[in-house]
Amino acid sequence: MPAMSDERPHVYIGLRGPEEALARISEVCEVTSFEGVGIPDRDELLAGVAAADGIIGSAQLPIDAAVLAAAPRMRVISNFGVGFDNVDVAAATARGVVVCNTPGVLSDAVADLTMGLLLSLARRLPEAERFLREQRWKPGASMALGTDVAGKTLGIIGLGRIGRAVSRRAVAFGMDVVYHDAVRDPPGDAAFCTYRDLDELLAAADFVSLHVNLTEATTALIGERALALMKPTAYLINTARGGVIDQAALVAALQRGELAGAALDVFEREPPAPDEPILQLPNVIALPHIGSGTVETRRAMLELAIDNLLAALRGERPPCVVNPEALG
Ligand code: DGY
């Protein structure tokens, strides 16, 4: 690797990662790593970025204008994840800070989890397991039946890489797949699905799965009005970002029986408080944001995040840039 400059750049790593991957950064940079549990608190983050030329962040680590102001040397924010709603991209761009993410390498893992949730809802898997473990499975006793997925309609909102990967899987399960996206016919691999207006999709789908970024336009996209359009027999799946759903409206819709159930890997607040109403509902499957949570995928994400970071610090174009205008 070519030398970066006379002085080794400083990097703050705001997450716990495997030593061998992080050693790649230490070879060419001075590294300060978060050693605690979870994510650094605000004070630790502000202190960590003060002398940093680059940072590795994650969805849980807010990098806002104040953090950027506390980091006068910052040149690159390399996010460990495809989502970058934790970063104030406009503030970063205004300061010439490059923001990077890790698309592509996690699409299969997130799509697999989405199908797992869809099948879990359809076949009532968590309920079935409780039925057995709680010894309610007696001769002659049976639990409520599930529903087929073949022949049912899946509505995908957001046909990016992950939405497409979900569509291909759902087609293989015999589902009819329709999608809505801000862009009609967005570029990408074949996804075997047809476009619908959002309202049409919500009204037609037996399962609705969310795969959009969290932006101003998608915040609370699935609120009271959208939920009211869905069939009372329909299920909602969210492996994107919690903020895409108005969680209070979803709780109300589920309580009123306007929706059959929901499976959520993401929440408005993460982790959700134990007494969050959404966690009290029997027809909700809740997971702790594990969409990309496989050994292989997390390794690939970290390698890509490091590639992005080191390229930017060398003054090269990183493989995955969110704000190319910051490259100058
Ligand atoms: C992502 O990549 O954005 C996942 O949600 C992990 O944060």
Side-chain angles (χ1 to χ4, degrees):
M1 175 166 159
M4 295 205 182
S5 68
D6 293 346
E7 196 200 337
R8 283 156 59 95
H10 289 248
V11 170
Y12 182 69
I13 301 176
L15 50 90
R16 304 290 303 270
E19 296 299 322
E20 68 276 14
L22 301 182
R24 265 187 72 200
I25 306 178
S26 305
E27 275 172 23
V28 285
C29 302
E30 297 303 316
V31 172
T32 307
S33 233
F34 173 62
E35 301 294 344
V37 177
I39 55 160
D41 65 23
R42 186 83 179 166
D43 288 345
E44 182 159 354
L45 177 61
L46 291 173
V49 297
D53 300 278
I55 179 170
I56 299 225
S58 70
Q60 284 74 33
L61 195 65
I63 304 180
D64 54 24
V67 174
L68 284 158
R73 295 168 55 131
M74 186 69 75
R75 283 186 277 151
V76 53
I77 299 167
S78 179
N79 237 28
F80 174 73
V82 66
F84 49 86
D85 46 286
N86 59 306
V87 180
D88 184 336
V89 178
T93 305
R95 288 178 168 272
V97 177
V98 177
V99 180
C100 302
N101 65 341
T102 64
V105 294
L106 44 63
S107 303
D108 285 330
V110 178
D112 287 348
L113 187 80
T114 303
M115 289 308 293
L117 289 171
L118 188 153
L119 293 167
S120 296
L121 286 166
R123 300 303 303 271
R124 300 173 168 268
L125 296 187
E127 190 183 325
E129 215 220 359
R130 288 195 297 271
F131 185 77
L132 182 147
R133 284 184 189 274
E134 291 166 7
Q135 294 172 10
R136 286 183 278 134
W137 185 23
K138 307 266 193 299
S142 57
M143 55 169 281
L145 297 177
T147 183
D148 283 341
V149 300
K152 298 284 166 54
T153 298
L154 169 64
I156 291 179
I157 300 180
L159 196 68
R161 293 178 185 82
I162 298 172
R164 284 171 190 278
V166 171
S167 178
R168 289 193 293 271
R169 283 159 173 75
V171 167
F173 275 86
M175 301 186 80
D176 296 322
V177 187
V178 294
Y179 79 93
H180 179 78
D181 193 286
V183 183
R184 196 165 173 159
D185 295 325
D189 305 335
F192 313 108
C193 52
T194 44
Y195 177 86
R196 290 277 182 280
D197 286 342
L198 181 60
D199 289 4
E200 280 173 18
L201 177 150
L202 290 166
D206 300 296
F207 298 84
V208 171
S209 189
L210 306 178
H211 300 287
V212 289
N213 287 333
L214 181 62
T215 63
E216 236 171 73
T218 62
T219 297
L221 178 69
I222 306 300
E224 200 177 333
R225 197 193 76 86
L227 291 163
L229 292 171
M230 290 177 67
K231 300 178 189 177
T233 49
Y235 296 95
L236 179 63
I237 301 160
N238 191 5
T239 55
R241 283 291 181 268
V244 179
I245 297 178
D246 174 342
Q247 209 165 281
L250 176 60
V251 169
L254 287 165
Q255 282 171 335
R256 289 196 296 258
E258 292 167 6
L259 205 63
L264 310 172
D265 184 42
V266 288
F267 300 86
E268 278 178 349
R269 191 162 27 129
E270 293 182 5
D275 60 352
E276 279 285 346
I278 194 81
L279 298 183
Q280 318 310 318
L281 300 177
N283 48 353
V284 169
I285 299 174
L287 298 181
H289 200 148
I290 56 163
S292 64
T294 69
V295 172
E296 300 87 342
T297 294
R298 288 280 167 86
R299 188 175 296 136
M301 288 165 66
L302 191 57
E303 291 298 336
L304 182 50
I306 295 173
D307 290 346
N308 284 331
L309 174 90
L310 296 183
L313 291 176
R314 284 193 301 262
E316 297 167 6
R317 188 189 178 97
C320 304
V321 183
V322 168
N323 59 344
E325 57 280 20
L327 291 168

